Amino acid sequence: CFGVFVVTFWRRAVGLLLLAPLAGFATEVAASPDSLNFHGLPWMNTLVIAGGASLIALILGLPVALVMAHRRSAIGFALTMLPLLVPPALGAATWLGIGGHGLGLLGCALLLGLIYWPITAFLTYAALTRLSGPALEAAQLQMSGGAMAVRIVGPAIRPAVLTSALLVFLLSA
């Protein structure tokens, strides 16, 4: 019981610590003399880029997670990890090198999605490996593939998919 209390306390403490930069930013915006002339375009651009990157990461990461769950090869894990090893400065240099200014918001979202899709792949893979093999085989006997995906696999991976989308969104923003 005490261990659960300690873990819960530290999770909340870390959550509050992570909110501190956001609170500081909001305070700085509210206290600036230009806060009455708020311009929403930069915020909208950020939302478009981060949302697009999350969508691209989901589109690329989910199929890779399914393949990783069925194959489980070391080379597949290594190749999936490779985009996460790209330093942000190299990603920015690539963006400038390919003429990223002309590609606009969606091009920036594409680049960020290509860098962060392994997050989706790994989190979804972890959720898929928690599914019981015998339970899946029993479900295959009674359900079609689509029904099994909707009733068994979907609810099992939904938290991982939502968490990965949020994490990619925050990293991209």
Side-chain angles (χ1 to χ4, degrees), residues 113-137:
L114 290 173
I115 291 173
Y116 292 134
W117 68 266
I119 294 170
T120 301
F122 284 125
L123 288 176
T124 306
Y125 166 77
L128 285 169
T129 56
R130 286 193 304 257
L131 289 172
S132 168
L136 287 176
E137 290 174 6

Side-chain angles (χ1 to χ4, degrees), residues 26 28 42 48-49 64 70 87 90 104 120 138 144-147 149 151 160:
E28 183 179 335
V48 168
I49 290 171
V64 171
H70 289 292
L90 183 60
T120 301
S144 67
R151 291 185 182 168

Side-chain angles (χ1 to χ4, degrees), residues 47-172:
L47 292 176
V48 168
I49 290 171
S54 295
L55 182 64
I56 290 167
L58 287 174
I59 290 170
L60 295 175
L62 289 175
V64 171
L66 291 171
V67 170
M68 284 174 34
H70 289 292
R71 296 280 174 141
R72 296 186 187 196
S73 71
I75 191 76
F77 283 100
L79 290 175
T80 303
M81 181 66 75
L82 194 60
L84 288 176
L85 299 176
V86 174
L90 183 60
T94 302
W95 174 252
L96 293 174
I98 63 173
H101 300 293
L103 296 176
L105 299 177
L106 297 180
C108 184
L110 176 67
L111 179 69
L112 289 169
L114 290 173
I115 291 173
Y116 292 134
W117 68 266
I119 294 170
T120 301
F122 284 125
L123 288 176
T124 306
Y125 166 77
L128 285 169
T129 56
R130 286 193 304 257
L131 289 172
S132 168
L136 287 176
E137 290 174 6
Q140 282 178 337
L141 293 175
Q142 296 184 2
M143 298 180 196
S144 67
M148 188 175 84
V150 169
R151 291 185 182 168
I152 306 231
V153 177
I157 67 170
R158 187 177 302 126
V161 170
L162 293 175
T163 301
S164 67
L166 180 63
L167 186 57
V168 170
F169 184 89
L170 291 174
L171 287 171
S172 299

